[in-house]
Amino acid sequence: MDKVETLLKEQQLKDQFDNLEKHTQWGIEFVEKYAKFVKERSEIETNYAKQIRNLSKKYQPKKNSREEEESKYSFCRAFLTTLNELNDYAGQHEVIAENLTSQIIVELSRYLQELKTERKSHFHDGRKAQQYIESSWKQMESCKRKFERDCKEAERAQQYFEKMDADINVTKADVEKARQQAQMRHQMASDSKNDYSSYLQKFNQEQNEHYYTIIPNIFQKLQDMEEKRIERIGVCMKTFADVDRQVLPIVGKCLDGMTTAAESIEPKTDSKQVVESYKSGFEPPGDVEFEDYGQAMKRTASETSLSNSRESKEKPAGKSKGKLWPFIKNKNKGSGPEDFSHLPPEQRRKKLQGKIDELNKDIQKEMDQRDALTKMKDVYIKNPQMGDPASVDPRLTEIGQNIEKLRFEVQKFEGWLAEVEERMPSKSDTHRRSGLYETQNNTTVSNSCAQDRESPDGSYTEEQNSETQVKANTDPNLTSSTPEFDDEFDDEETLPTIGTCKALYPFEGHNEGTISVAEGELLYVIEDDKGDGWTRVRRNEDEEGYVPTSYIEVFLETNAKDS
């Protein structure tokens, strides 16, 4: 009965080992499956980020004039901001993919190797212990069977001896031999008994240790291993969520940036930009007058009709009422598209003004280079060992020629600009253009820079330490593009006084339409500066004209400011 019970326990133990082996193997496969899941999620994030970046790049504005033109609209700028924020948004998904790989996939790969090694070690120890106890059991069973055989042999020897001793026909020698054989068998049985008893005691101790110490320890180690595996899976699942949560603040900022960009769209401003971009400057035709054929009257047109506007081009510029700054016409019909004559008036005016600003910047650069070379030449003159002063002269001459060419171009484009503004609908701020080159610093009013500004007669005065002074109108052939003021300036209606002014510097008005003033002189302001750098003033009823705004200090009346 004990043997059957022991065998049942051994079989149950084997079954438990098999169950544990299957379960722990399934646990390892689960870890591998979860690692594969995280890897595929990381690949999805990487591909998604790549597609988002490509989408943002695809719709980024190209470097051409059309896209640059669109950038002035608020909705285009908002879309560009959205694309940039979307690119940053894609970067956060790349961060998710990187963190999933480094914090989960790599860690699980390393842990899986350790887990497989540990599991293999525990089951190796369990099988070894199981094999040992089975071996000990077999040895104990062997001793038991030997003891059983020896007892049977001793009993048979004893029975044979007793039979021989009772038989009177058997010799004494045979009886003695049978007795000795019986004694030897009894001794062998006694020795087998002792061996069996010893092995049985040893086996019971080993079996007790096996079932109560060795196997429980192995099972405990397997249990600890399984709990660590489950715990590690839980940590990885938490990290899986935390990796996503960590980028949410930055993703939120990206989305906030998109929202802010959308809220910055200004429909009215954009519509004004469209109006400004495509405004032609053409004056609408006036009313068509009634033509009485009964009296054979010629068909006349209103003063504001298109035909009248075309005829007015052929009339002398100085005879036109309300035009304060007429110029001698210089249409340059053969200049082609250089004068932007193919554009509507307003668009042409913008193009010409932009060209003038660009040329002025080029002139300023050339002048800066000339100033630097002049200072270098002064250093060479004072310190001949540093260089030859004459080596700078060719470059100075070249710069001077470049400045002259650029100024000629400025005057040419200003002539076209004045022509365009004169033809545009009559507005006080579009007919008064100086037609003169103005430096970038002529709006600064200070005693120290009084010499570094352009005088109204078209000349440009350098600083006192400059080597040369270059006049803008030294070439008599350029007079065709210089402005002349209206001969009938006095025909204008008397304008009311809107304030007073004080002359900061003396000004000699050589051109018609200007007025000479002395430093410190007080005058009346009758028309404020409209953005062209000139203010209309009056000395008395008979003397009035324009002076440079930068030469005077204006004191406007309160009601004039409000209006």
Side-chain angles (χ1 to χ4, degrees), residues 495-539:
L495 298 175
T497 300
I498 62 173
T500 60
C501 67
K502 178 181 179 181
L504 300 174
Y505 315 103
F507 170 68
E508 298 180 2
H510 294 300
N511 290 350
E512 294 187 20
T514 63
I515 184 173
S516 302
V517 295
E519 183 177 354
E521 184 177 359
L522 296 176
L523 301 167
Y524 293 103
V525 178
I526 59 176
E527 190 172 350
D528 196 11
D529 187 352
K530 300 299 183 181
D532 53 12
W534 295 88
T535 301
R536 189 173 179 181
V537 300
R538 177 187 296 148
R539 181 179 286 112

Side-chain angles (χ1 to χ4, degrees), residues 132-133 136 139-140 196-208:
Y132 180 81
I133 197 65
S136 181
Q139 191 174 10
M140 186 271 296
Y196 169 64
S197 176
S198 176
Y199 271 103
L200 180 61
Q201 184 178 0
K202 179 183 177 184
F203 171 76
N204 288 333
Q205 291 177 352
E206 291 176 349
Q207 180 177 250
N208 185 71

Side-chain angles (χ1 to χ4, degrees), residues 276-293:
E276 190 66 22
S277 298
Y278 298 105
K279 183 167 60 176
S280 66
F282 289 121
E283 185 177 4
D287 296 337
V288 178
E289 293 186 0
F290 174 76
E291 300 182 20
D292 191 352
Y293 291 100

Side-chain angles (χ1 to χ4, degrees), residues 356-367:
I356 292 172
D357 294 341
E358 182 181 345
L359 291 171
N360 285 339
K361 290 180 181 179
D362 294 339
I363 291 175
Q364 187 61 42
K365 290 180 182 178
E366 294 289 340
M367 293 172 62

Side-chain angles (χ1 to χ4, degrees), residues 94 108 110 113 124 154 160 166 176 244 265 302 343 364 412 442 526 546 552 562:
E94 290 176 346
L108 281 184
R110 180 181 56 80
Q113 297 300 323
H124 175 75
Y160 180 74
E176 184 62 23
D244 225 333
I265 296 176
S302 64
L343 297 175
Q364 187 61 42
K412 181 172 65 174
N442 67 349
I526 59 176
Y546 286 93
I552 60 174
D562 295 339

Side-chain angles (χ1 to χ4, degrees), residues 357-394:
D357 294 341
E358 182 181 345
L359 291 171
N360 285 339
K361 290 180 181 179
D362 294 339
I363 291 175
Q364 187 61 42
K365 290 180 182 178
E366 294 289 340
M367 293 172 62
D368 292 341
Q369 292 185 24
R370 184 177 62 185
D371 292 342
L373 290 174
T374 302
K375 293 179 181 179
M376 183 184 298
K377 183 175 181 179
D378 293 340
V379 173
Y380 288 169
I381 293 174
K382 295 177 182 179
N383 303 284
Q385 68 276 8
M386 297 183 65
D388 182 12
S391 62
V392 185
D393 292 338

Side-chain angles (χ1 to χ4, degrees), residues 1-12 211:
M1 186 65 181
D2 292 340
K3 180 178 179 180
V4 174
E5 185 179 355
T6 302
L7 290 174
L8 288 174
K9 290 182 178 179
E10 286 291 332
Q11 185 61 39
Q12 291 174 357
Y211 284 104

